[in-house]
Amino acid sequence: PCWSPPDSEDIASLRGYKEEITKRTIPVKPEQLLVLLESLENKPEVRLAVALVGLYGLRPSELRTLQLVDGELRASSTKRNMAEARRTKPPRLLQPLDLKELPGEGERVLRIYESGLVKLPCQIINAKDNKLAGHAFGQYLRRNAVWRSMVAASAGLTPYGLRHGYAWRGAKYYDSPIPLRDLADLMGHTLPTHLQYYGQWTSDQEKKAS
């Protein structure tokens, strides 16, 4: 018996474990998005791109796939993995989540895009692939002083924080939160994916306020 394998509990205690800290993507909060948009007033092409990503919850690379269908904005997913490769989804409906200080801004931005008077930055639209398009979007942000100050104040903030900010507003910003199933579909992923990657972020201050 002394040479028999130990039971599972003894094995677990002998093996030990590695403590891991889960990093959560930081969402761009409404007040930050407002200041960022204001700082881009003299760069209409970049402002249009940031407004579409921030107000409509896009992946930056999805700026290349936008289309207007019966006056409504739609986008095709640019996410590519084994699961996504096996099925083709039709372009999804997009809906803006406006800032309280800028009511109707999502619709206004849509009409600007529809008019063609302001074009999206060519480095994003003409990128060779989706990864380079996302990189170009990030470069435009990094040239902005307000964005750099936001990153300095919030270590770990990335351009994808604009998309996470959309998820945060949908769940915690309005008097009536958007049902998570609808929010996930608007963002182009499943409900479990939304809960795992987009629905976890909170802070001690927010928990106390709740």
Side-chain angles (χ1 to χ4, degrees):
C2 68
W3 296 108
S4 298
D7 59 33
S8 58
E9 291 185 3
D10 288 337
I11 290 177
S13 64
L14 290 169
R15 181 181 296 156
Y17 63 93
K18 179 182 178 181
E19 185 175 352
E20 296 182 355
I21 300 176
T22 302
K23 293 184 178 179
R24 298 176 179 177
T25 302
I26 301 171
V28 172
K29 293 296 185 63
E31 62 274 14
Q32 293 175 310
L33 180 56
L34 178 64
V35 175
L36 180 61
L37 291 175
E38 289 175 345
S39 73
L40 293 169
E41 290 292 348
N42 63 340
K43 296 183 180 297
E45 293 185 348
V46 180
R47 189 190 189 282
L48 177 61
V50 172
L52 286 170
V53 170
L55 296 176
Y56 284 85
L58 295 171
R59 301 176 179 92
S61 57
E62 289 177 342
L63 289 168
R64 307 169 72 218
T65 74
L66 295 180
Q67 55 184 282
L68 284 160
V69 181
D70 298 328
E72 293 182 326
L73 193 62
R74 294 181 179 270
S76 299
S77 175
T78 56
K79 183 179 179 181
R80 288 292 176 263
N81 54 32
M82 290 298 292
E84 296 289 335
R86 287 194 293 267
R87 59 180 182 270
T88 302
K89 295 181 179 179
R92 74 180 187 276
L93 174 69
L94 301 174
Q95 291 289 286
L97 296 183
D98 286 332
L99 303 178
K100 295 175 182 177
E101 295 85 353
L102 293 176
E105 181 66 9
E107 180 68 17
R108 190 183 77 86
V109 168
L110 173 58
R111 297 310 156 207
I112 292 174
Y113 173 76
E114 182 182 27
S115 71
L117 296 175
V118 178
K119 306 289 186 181
L120 287 168
C122 60
Q123 286 187 322
I124 297 174
I125 299 303
N126 298 329
K128 291 183 178 180
D129 55 40
N130 295 327
K131 184 176 181 180
L132 289 175
H135 180 69
F137 180 83
Q139 279 188 321
Y140 283 115
L141 280 179
R142 286 188 289 274
R143 293 169 185 164
N144 179 269
V146 169
W147 176 259
R148 293 197 299 270
S149 67
M150 287 166 55
V151 172
S154 302
L157 180 64
T158 69
Y160 226 69
L162 289 165
R163 178 168 158 85
H164 282 260
Y166 181 91
W168 186 90
R169 292 198 308 278
K172 307 189 76 169
Y173 184 57
Y174 304 107
D175 293 336
S176 298
I178 297 174
L180 290 181
R181 185 177 298 277
D182 293 337
L183 191 56
D185 199 62
L186 285 169
M187 297 184 70
H189 49 231
T190 64
L191 182 57
T193 295
H194 189 88
L195 293 173
Q196 183 175 0
Y197 296 104
Y198 294 88
Q200 291 188 8
W201 199 93
T202 188
S203 65
D204 289 346
Q205 185 177 3
E206 290 176 21
K207 285 178 279 190
K208 291 176 182 178
S210 296

